[in-house]
Amino acid sequence: MSSSISTPPAHQLQTENGSLQIRFEWQQDRYAHVVRWQSESGEVVEARSVEGSSDQDWPASPALQQLSTETIEGVPTILGVGCAGSSHFSVSVQVLEKGDAETSDSESPRVRFDWAVRMSASDAKEHPVADLGTQYAAENMLVTSLLGQTQSVCDSDSDGGIRFVPDQSAGGPTRQWSYDLLGAI
């Protein structure tokens, strides 16, 4: 009897007109994601998550091994969990349309990311917050909006790359960071 290992399914959300999309696809041992925006003129801008490997305790982006797509308060939402080293990651991702109550101050739709990591007490003491975050590679970065105690750091190793990290002053075993990626205005 032979058994085959199946690839976990992709998960995708997009605006009604398809101009802004977030897609998670399986890559080796975790999900990677890409945010894609297409302007009215047809120009396409993409931001791809930079992933790590199975031997890294602190990958460039959180390692997500399980995803589900749910509807939360009427909004389709991708929920994800995973682990790397002794840390456990979670994420909630939504595509918010222009004019939604959440985006009333925006002229563009956005993809909202809410991340969290739970570390062991010893890891929380030994590792600086800079080791945590979500990193993107992009030739032209999408417009960003930081939420809560999140900071952004330019990635000097790549053109247009950016990393979102928890506030450096955050402490304790649970850390959070949140941000929006917007279609350019």
Side-chain angles (χ1 to χ4, degrees):
M1 182 159 107
S2 69
S3 65
S4 63
I5 298 174
S6 63
T7 301
H11 290 259
Q12 178 174 309
L13 298 174
Q14 65 183 26
T15 55
E16 286 183 26
N17 68 5
S19 65
L20 184 63
Q21 302 172 346
I22 172 73
R23 183 171 177 85
F24 286 84
E25 291 187 343
W26 191 253
Q27 178 180 303
Q28 298 176 348
D29 65 343
R30 67 194 69 203
Y31 280 97
H33 64 276
V34 61
V35 178
R36 181 181 185 272
W37 177 75
Q38 184 170 357
S39 71
E40 290 179 14
S41 67
E43 178 186 3
V44 175
V45 177
E46 288 186 344
R48 294 186 174 276
S49 61
V50 175
E51 299 300 322
S53 63
S54 61
D55 63 342
Q56 292 177 305
D57 288 344
W58 305 103
S61 294
L64 297 174
Q65 286 91 19
Q66 297 177 0
L67 294 178
S68 67
T69 302
E70 312 291 335
T71 300
I72 298 177
E73 296 182 0
V75 180
T77 305
I78 294 175
L79 301 173
V81 295
C83 61
S86 61
S87 299
H88 301 271
F89 297 96
S90 64
V91 68
S92 168
V93 182
Q94 295 179 321
V95 171
L96 302 172
E97 298 277 351
K98 180 171 83 172
D100 281 351
E102 292 270 348
T103 62
S104 60
D105 63 336
S106 174
E107 295 297 318
S108 278
R110 57 186 65 201
V111 180
R112 172 156 298 161
F113 292 87
D114 290 304
W115 296 94
V117 62
R118 176 73 178 179
M119 303 182 294
S120 68
S122 62
D123 278 348
K125 290 179 184 176
E126 293 175 25
H127 296 281
V129 176
D131 286 345
L132 299 170
T134 310
Q135 185 171 339
Y136 292 92
E139 288 183 23
N140 296 306
M141 191 61 202
L142 296 164
V143 177
T144 63
S145 175
L146 304 178
L147 304 169
Q149 299 295 312
T150 304
Q151 299 176 344
S152 64
V153 178
C154 290
D155 179 10
S156 59
D157 295 335
S158 68
D159 295 332
I162 193 167
R163 183 169 172 85
F164 297 97
V165 298
D167 184 332
Q168 295 291 339
S169 65
T174 301
R175 314 265 172 93
Q176 298 173 300
W177 61 105
S178 302
Y179 53 92
D180 290 346
L181 294 180
L182 291 70
I185 297 173

